[in-house]
Amino acid sequence: MKTLHHLHRPLGSTGLNVSPLGLGTVKLGRDQGVKYPEGFRIPDDREAADLIALARDLGINLIDTAPAYGRSEERLGPLLHGQRHQWVIVSKTGEEFVGGQSQFDFSAAHTRRSVERSLQRLETDYIDLVLVHSDGNDLDILRGTEVYATLERLKDEGLIRGFGFSGKTADGGLLALERGDCAMVTYNLNEQAEKPVIDHAQAHGRGILIKKALASGHAALAPGVDPVRASFELVLGHPGVASAIVGTINPLHLAHNVDIAAEVLDR
């Protein structure tokens, strides 16, 4: 069984070293309003603990969560008890999921309250990276709200180690990297509009995390081409990418993803 232990890489200039695949945890806390092709059951605590243990054994050290992921953060706190030093934890601010609907607030007061609540839920005294969960109005958020200035203060206070932006546009990602440590961008076989953000980050020592690396819609690939392998060859083949977040709760899928990623990177 291949692992990623020997393939960790720097996340920009944050000082953090991360596995090339990270574990996304939306499915640990939320099963409403999610865009997956098939329904799923939220894992119970034993299943979630086993999944996290498997991820760690496979060399994954990055775990991605958010307040908008339902109960994900509050479940991860106990699940990661005694393991905090082994994980790079990424969370978000700006989006809440309430009553089946997303709500957005990028004010200074909400940003601080959100991060302090995440610290409590995750049962930790620092979060490695907090990203702004954009509603799509990337430039308006960065230019017209207090969210980035507040995250800078929280970093100065030692409550977070780094901050950045999970946006939806190339312009937003580029602007976010002027002050932020990291950007999370969509990049896959079907969507590559945000590639300029990755190129810019590589040239300027900023970190890049990839969301939706295994987007659906691989039907355009030639027969016999493995969509997971083709996706990882594209995404992990870009030297500006630190890690791609995979959100599976299926242990076999997770092990397969790690096996393919290790093969791609070890060539």
Side-chain angles (χ1 to χ4, degrees), residues 4 19-28 47-56 58-66 69 72 76 79-80 87-90 92 184 243-251 253-254 257-258:
L4 302 174
S19 48
L21 296 184
L23 182 65
T25 62
V26 62
K27 289 184 177 179
L28 293 187
E47 292 166 329
D50 288 346
L51 185 75
I52 288 169
L54 175 63
R56 193 179 63 231
L58 290 170
I60 293 173
N61 77 331
L62 175 67
I63 200 156
D64 178 74
T65 185
Y69 295 171
S72 174
L76 284 172
L79 287 167
L80 298 180
W87 292 98
V88 173
I89 297 179
V90 180
K92 322 278 186 344
M184 180 180 279
S243 185
I245 308 302
V246 291
T248 184
I249 50 175
N250 182 317
H253 288 172
L254 184 64
N257 286 344
V258 167

Side-chain angles (χ1 to χ4, degrees), residues 82-253:
Q83 308 173 35
R84 178 66 185 92
H85 65 287
Q86 299 177 35
W87 292 98
V88 173
I89 297 179
V90 180
S91 193
K92 322 278 186 344
T93 187
E95 181 180 357
E96 304 284 324
F97 188 73
V98 181
Q101 298 288 327
S102 284
Q103 302 172 359
F104 295 90
D105 187 339
F106 305 105
S107 67
H110 175 80
T111 302
R112 178 172 288 275
R113 189 165 61 244
S114 172
V115 171
E116 290 175 346
R117 183 188 58 192
S118 293
L119 289 164
Q120 291 175 343
R121 288 175 171 174
L122 292 163
E123 299 181 9
T124 182
D125 52 7
Y126 69 94
I127 300 172
D128 295 288
L129 191 66
V130 173
L131 305 176
V132 179
H133 226 158
S134 174
D135 61 2
N137 297 303
D138 296 352
L139 297 180
D140 291 342
I141 294 166
L142 289 162
R143 291 172 176 161
T145 76
E146 299 171 286
V147 65
Y148 244 35
T150 307
L151 291 174
E152 284 178 331
R153 285 193 290 273
L154 291 165
K155 181 179 176 180
D156 289 342
E157 294 168 21
L159 297 180
I160 64 178
R161 290 187 171 180
F163 68 93
F165 200 78
S166 177
K168 308 209 173 167
T169 65
D171 287 346
L174 290 168
L175 181 59
L177 289 179
E178 288 185 12
R179 290 164 63 190
D181 301 296
C182 177
M184 180 180 279
V185 302
T186 298
Y187 187 55
N188 57 50
L189 293 168
N190 302 323
E191 299 178 76
Q192 297 170 30
E194 293 174 72
K195 182 176 179 289
V197 185
I198 310 175
D199 298 337
H200 178 87
Q202 181 194 357
H204 294 86
R206 298 291 192 262
I208 289 289
L209 302 176
I210 301 296
K211 54 187 172 182
K212 303 178 186 173
L214 299 175
S216 55
H218 298 303
L221 291 179
V225 176
D226 176 4
V228 175
R229 183 180 301 276
S231 297
F232 287 160
E233 285 174 346
L234 172 75
V235 173
L236 300 179
H238 194 304
V241 171
S243 185
I245 308 302
V246 291
T248 184
I249 50 175
N250 182 317
L252 292 176
H253 288 172

